[in-house]
Amino acid sequence: MSTALAAVDTLTAAQLDQLCVNTIRTLSIDAVQQAKSGHPGTPMALAPLVYTIWNRVMRFDPQNPIWPNRDRFVLSNGHASMLLWSALHLTGVQAVNAEYEAVGKPSVTLDDIRHFRQLDSKAPGHPEYHWVSGVETTTGPLGQGVATSVGMAIAEKWLAHHYNRPGFEIFDYNIYSVCGDGCLMEGIASEAASLAGHLGLDNLCWIYDNNHITIEGNTRIAFTEDVAGRFLAYGWNVLRVGDANDLERIEQALEVFRKTKGRPTFIVLDSHIGYGSPNKQDTAAAHGEPLGDEECRLVKRSYGWPEDAKFLVPEGVYEHFQSGIGKRGAEARRNWTELFESYRTQYPDLAVEIELMQRRELPTGWDRNLPVFPADPKGIAGRDASGKTLNVLAQNIPWFLGGSADLGPSNKTTLTYPGAGDFQADTPEGKNLHYGIREHAMAAIVNGMSLSKLRPFGASFFIFSDYARPAIRLASLMELPSLFVFTHEAMGDGEDGPTHQPVEHLISLRAIPGLITIRPGDANEVVEAYRYVMQLRHQPAVLALSRQPLPTLDRSKYAPASGVAQGAYVLADAAGGNPEVIIIASGSEVSLAAEAHENLLAEGIRSRVVSMPSWEIFEQQTQAYQDSVLPPNVKARVAVEQASTLGWERYVGRSGHVIGMKTFGASAPLKELQRKYGFEPDQVVAAAKQQIGRASSK
C-alpha cells in the first residue's frame, strides 16, 4: 500500500519520515510542472537533506522566523527554490512584515506553491529575502549564498564574543548552507571558503550536493578537481555521506559538525539528480526543465505516491513537522526569551543594544563628535576624511565594523582607536576585518553581516567595484543597508594608468535600482555623506572617495555641506540668484567648478555652482526642490565629472555640455591628465560661455 494513502497511525517512524520527504519531492515536481518552468531534479535529490536539517536539527521557530538566535539555512543553489518553499510551507513558517511584526498568516501557502514562479506568488523562481519570511538571503547567482553565509558566521562570532556573558549564551547559532557544483565552480565560493577556513568559523557548515551534473551534462567535461581535497587545504573539516537518502547518516554528519571546534565543516553528499525518475535520473534533463506529465506519473509511482495526485500533502505531514521543528523551535525560542529577560536585568545596556540592532536603529548620540574640517585650499583627501569619520562612528555605534580587501592603509579604512582590534580566529571581538584580496567575497560577506543586523562596511579601490558589483546588486535587491567604501574614484592615482582609473563605474552603479551612490566634493561632504548613509535602513550605499587632497571649501562663503542630504544643492550663486549658466559637479570637480564660478563672476557673468554628490538622493526630492536647484528656465548648463558622460543629459539637457570621460584614462601625473581631458578652470569657463551663447541665440 502507498504510504501516502496509509493511515498515519499505522506508519512507522521511518515511514513517516519518508512520507514527509516524498511530500517535499512531489510538491516540487508538481510546482515545476504546473509552472512549465523550474528545476525539479535537485529538490528530488535533496529532499532528505532538507527534511533532516529542518525537522531534526535546526533551532528555528516557525512562529518567529526572525528570532535573533535562530539557526540560519541558506540555499545557495537557489534554482532549487522549491526545496525551500516546501520547507517553509510544511513547517508553517509565519510571515513577518517590514516592521518585524508577525502578521498572522503563513509565509508560503499551498496556493503560493501552486502558483510557483508566477506574479505575486510567495514562491518565486529563486529565494528572495525581502519578499518571503524564512528566507535568510537572496540567492540565485551561484556562489553568492555560500559566500554570504560566511558573513553570517562572522557576525555570530562577533555577536557572541561582544554580548555573551557567563551563564548567558545569547548568541550561539549555526549556519547551514546547501550548495552544488555550480556554486563551487564560481570563484566567489573559493574566496569565501579560503577566508572561512583561515578564520576557523566552526559555526558554519556547507553541504555539497555532489551529483556530477550541470546544465551542459556531466561535470567531467569541466570540473574534475578533488573538491574535498581543496577544502581540506582551506582548513575545513571534510566529511562524506555516500547516500543522500540516508537520513541517519546525514543527521550523524551534522552532529559531527556541531561538535567540531576550530574549523568550518564541509559535507560531501553524494546524490542523484532527479532521484526516482526512470528516464531522467542522473541526467542534465532533470536539471532545468519540467519532467513532463508522463514522467511525473512514473516518478510518483516509484515513490509509492498516487500517480494523478497533485500538490498532495498527506494526512500527518503537517503534524509531523509541528512535532519536530515546531515543538523544538518553540521550546528553544522560549528558553532563549526567558534567558534574555534575565540578561536584560543584569546587563540592561547590552540588551538595549541588541534590541536596537535587531530593529536596524542607531544608539543615541551615534553622530556625536563627527569631525568638522576647517577651510583649507590645500585640503584633505576624501579617503583621509573618511578614515577620521569611520573611527568616530565605530566608537559611537558598537555594532559598526568592517575592513578592506587588503587595502586598509590606502583606503584609510583601518580603525585605529584603542581597543578596535582585528577580527581573527582567536580575537573575534575585533572590529577590523581583513578580507584579503577577495573583493567579490568581501561584498557578499558584508551582506551576510548586514543580514545578521550588524552595520558592516567593505572597502577597496573604486575600479575593483567591478569585482564586488554582483553582491552590491544583491544588497540592493535585498534592501540591505550594506556600506561599500571605494577610494581612488577617478584619475587621482595618475601614473597607475587606465587599469586603475575608473571611467564607467559611477554610471554603472547609478544604474542599480535602490543603490545610493555618493561622490563627495570635499572633506565636510564626506562627513555628511556618512551622516546620511548611516541612517539608511533598507538601502545600500556606495561612497566614491578621492585619493588626492581636495580643497576644503570655506562654508562661510559657500553653502553648508549638509546639502548632501538632498543629493544636490546650490553651493555658490550669483548675487540675487537668477544665473545665466549652471555648472554642476561632483567629487573632485566641485572645487574646480567653484574656481570657474569665481572667474566667471569676475567677468560679470552670473553663474551658479551645484554640488551633486548623489543623483539617487536628488531624485528623491520634491519637484519643487529640484527646480529650485536647477531652474528649468536656465538652459545654459555644464556638468563636470571625471567619469563617463553617459546620463548627464538628464541634468544638462540634450544641448548642454558635459566635461567628462569618453575614453579610458592614461598613465601620467594627475595635473597632466587633468589638462589632457579638460578638467581645468579655463576649459570649464569656456564651456560655460559657449552654453550662454547657445542659449541666448535661441
Side-chain angles (χ1 to χ4, degrees):
M1 177 183 291
S2 166
T3 56
L5 299 179
V8 175
D9 56 7
T10 67
L11 298 178
T12 66
Q15 288 175 322
L16 190 52
D17 288 338
Q18 192 61 47
L19 185 67
C20 293
V21 168
N22 287 339
T23 301
I24 295 172
R25 285 172 166 152
T26 56
L27 284 177
S28 302
I29 292 168
D30 290 340
V32 171
Q33 191 63 30
Q34 181 140 311
K36 298 181 174 59
S37 171
H39 302 74
T42 300
M44 294 161 70
L46 295 187
L49 169 68
V50 168
Y51 169 77
T52 303
I53 292 175
W54 280 77
N55 211 39
R56 293 188 177 186
V57 175
M58 277 211 312
R59 291 176 301 169
F60 180 93
D61 183 7
Q63 297 301 308
N64 190 331
I66 60 171
W67 164 45
N69 200 41
R70 68 191 181 278
D71 286 346
R72 270 65 167 176
F73 175 82
V74 174
L75 186 67
S76 190
N77 44 349
H79 54 269
S81 60
M82 269 311 307
L83 277 169
L84 189 52
W85 309 143
S86 298
L88 296 181
H89 172 67
L90 296 173
T91 58
V93 171
Q94 295 297 293
V96 176
N97 64 20
E99 301 304 317
Y100 311 112
E101 300 168 332
V103 296
K105 63 180 183 180
S107 174
V108 177
T109 66
L110 195 56
D111 194 54
D112 287 321
I113 290 175
R114 289 192 183 98
H115 292 87
F116 174 57
R117 286 181 165 235
Q118 306 308 301
L119 187 65
D120 295 330
S121 171
K122 292 301 177 69
H126 290 83
E128 294 186 28
Y129 166 74
H130 69 90
W131 184 241
V132 189
S133 301
V135 176
E136 299 290 359
T137 182
T138 295
T139 58
L142 294 176
Q144 285 285 341
V146 284
T148 303
S149 75
V150 173
M152 295 176 178
I154 289 172
E156 190 280 333
K157 289 292 185 183
W158 189 89
L159 288 165
H161 197 279
H162 193 81
Y163 290 105
N164 290 357
R165 295 294 182 271
F168 292 96
E169 297 297 311
I170 301 301
F171 293 103
D172 64 347
Y173 57 85
N174 292 315
I175 299 93
Y176 301 88
S177 187
V178 179
C179 59
D181 292 299
C183 289
L184 297 186
M185 289 189 214
E186 292 285 1
I188 186 174
S190 300
E191 292 181 19
S194 173
L195 184 58
H198 164 73
L199 293 173
L201 299 175
D202 53 25
N203 54 354
L204 179 64
C205 180
W206 291 4
I207 304 98
Y208 165 40
D209 175 25
N210 184 34
N211 62 31
H212 301 290
I213 296 294
T214 59
I215 289 176
E216 292 189 359
N218 194 285
T219 53
R220 64 174 172 266
I221 65 175
F223 190 55
T224 53
E225 68 192 46
D226 179 359
V227 175
R230 168 153 63 106
F231 276 77
L232 284 170
Y234 288 148
W236 289 55
N237 177 40
V238 177
L239 308 173
R240 190 174 205 117
V241 175
D243 180 3
N245 291 301
D246 191 333
L247 306 187
E248 308 309 320
R249 287 278 306 279
I250 293 171
E251 186 173 8
Q252 182 183 36
L254 295 172
E255 179 64 22
V256 172
F257 152 62
R258 292 196 300 276
K259 292 180 178 177
T260 298
K261 302 302 177 186
R263 291 183 292 171
T265 293
F266 184 76
I267 300 174
V268 180
L269 181 68
D270 295 329
S271 72
H272 296 279
I273 194 170
Y275 177 79
S277 174
N279 299 301
K280 296 189 176 183
Q281 178 175 314
D282 295 328
T283 71
H287 173 77
E289 60 189 43
L291 297 176
D293 290 333
E294 181 57 30
E295 193 71 10
C296 286
R297 283 191 285 271
L298 294 175
V299 170
K300 289 175 181 177
R301 183 186 303 170
S302 75
Y303 295 160
W305 207 258
E307 294 179 23
D308 294 320
K310 293 184 179 179
F311 302 101
L312 173 63
V313 180
E315 180 186 355
V317 170
Y318 292 123
E319 293 79 5
H320 189 57
F321 278 103
Q322 181 57 39
S323 64
I325 187 172
K327 180 180 179 181
R328 187 178 65 253
E331 182 179 358
R333 181 171 67 91
R334 184 169 54 252
N335 292 340
W336 184 88
T337 301
E338 292 173 357
L339 182 70
F340 188 74
E341 290 307 311
S342 298
Y343 179 83
R344 186 199 306 278
T345 300
Q346 293 198 36
Y347 306 102
D349 292 343
L350 295 180
V352 167
E353 287 184 11
I354 292 171
E355 291 174 330
L356 287 172
M357 192 189 323
Q358 295 303 311
R359 297 194 300 268
R360 296 201 187 280
E361 296 177 2
L362 297 171
T364 301
W366 67 271
D367 59 349
R368 67 182 181 275
N369 301 324
L370 286 178
V372 176
F373 294 93
D376 182 355
K378 293 184 178 179
I380 180 175
R383 59 176 177 170
D384 289 313
S386 168
K388 294 178 184 298
T389 307
L390 285 172
N391 271 275
V392 173
L393 290 170
Q395 293 178 77
N396 292 347
I397 305 171
W399 52 95
F400 181 69
L401 71 167
S404 172
D406 197 56
L407 289 169
S410 193
N411 293 149
K412 307 299 184 183
T413 49
T414 304
L415 303 176
T416 57
Y417 65 88
D422 295 327
F423 184 96
Q424 294 290 335
D426 56 351
T427 55
E429 73 278 10
K431 280 198 168 190
N432 284 297
L433 280 90
H434 300 281
Y435 298 104
I437 307 167
R438 305 181 179 99
E439 289 89 355
H440 198 175
M442 174 187 72
I445 289 167
V446 167
N447 288 345
M449 290 190 288
S450 184
L451 286 160
S452 308
K453 304 298 179 67
L454 299 180
R455 289 302 302 268
F457 66 87
S460 185
F461 289 172
F462 196 33
I463 193 78
F464 303 134
S465 64
D466 280 340
Y467 290 152
R469 182 185 166 87
I472 295 173
R473 181 180 188 272
L474 284 180
S476 196
L477 188 61
M478 289 189 278
E479 301 178 0
L480 298 177
S482 299
L483 175 58
F484 305 98
V485 180
F486 294 117
T487 67
H488 299 59
E489 39 60 275
M491 292 188 293
D493 53 352
E495 292 86 349
D496 278 336
T499 61
H500 282 55
Q501 293 165 4
V503 171
E504 73 281 16
H505 299 72
L506 269 171
I507 189 60
S508 82
L509 291 172
R510 286 167 176 162
I512 297 177
L515 176 66
I516 300 296
T517 305
I518 307 180
R519 186 173 181 243
D522 76 347
N524 288 308
E525 281 200 2
V526 171
V527 176
E528 294 306 316
Y530 275 108
R531 194 189 306 276
Y532 182 89
V533 302
M534 291 308 301
Q535 297 177 77
L536 297 173
R537 297 176 67 204
H538 301 293
Q539 287 181 290
V542 163
L543 298 187
L545 307 171
S546 74
R547 170 186 183 264
Q548 75 278 17
L550 304 179
T552 304
L553 299 174
D554 182 351
R555 296 296 170 165
S556 66
K557 178 180 180 181
Y558 297 109
S562 57
V564 169
Q566 280 72 51
Y569 63 102
V570 178
L571 177 72
D573 211 357
N578 189 28
E580 299 173 76
V581 63
I582 300 174
I583 305 171
I584 315 169
S586 78
S588 52
E589 288 69 67
V590 171
S591 57
L592 169 62
E595 188 174 349
H597 165 76
E598 300 296 341
N599 292 344
L600 288 166
L601 288 183
E603 295 185 36
I605 298 173
R606 301 189 309 277
S607 72
R608 168 178 290 185
V609 176
V610 171
S611 175
M612 186 177 280
S614 176
W615 291 11
E616 300 82 16
I617 301 174
F618 184 61
E619 295 292 339
Q620 294 172 7
Q621 308 309 308
T622 65
Q623 189 63 51
Y625 177 80
Q626 293 181 43
D627 289 347
S628 73
V629 174
L630 300 175
N633 64 308
V634 182
K635 305 298 183 184
R637 300 182 182 186
V638 178
V640 192
E641 187 173 68
Q642 283 186 25
S644 169
T645 61
L646 183 64
W648 271 109
E649 61 274 5
R650 70 163 62 181
Y651 299 118
V652 301
R654 294 186 62 83
S655 61
H657 186 76
V658 183
I659 299 175
M661 297 297 294
K662 296 182 180 179
T663 67
F664 294 112
S667 176
L670 176 59
K671 288 187 177 181
E672 292 182 25
L673 294 172
Q674 290 170 329
R675 184 179 308 112
K676 174 179 174 64
Y677 294 107
F679 298 103
E680 291 187 320
D682 289 350
Q683 298 192 54
V684 178
V685 167
K689 290 178 178 179
Q690 183 183 47
Q691 285 296 297
I692 293 171
R694 292 184 61 177
S696 62
S697 66
K698 291 183 179 180

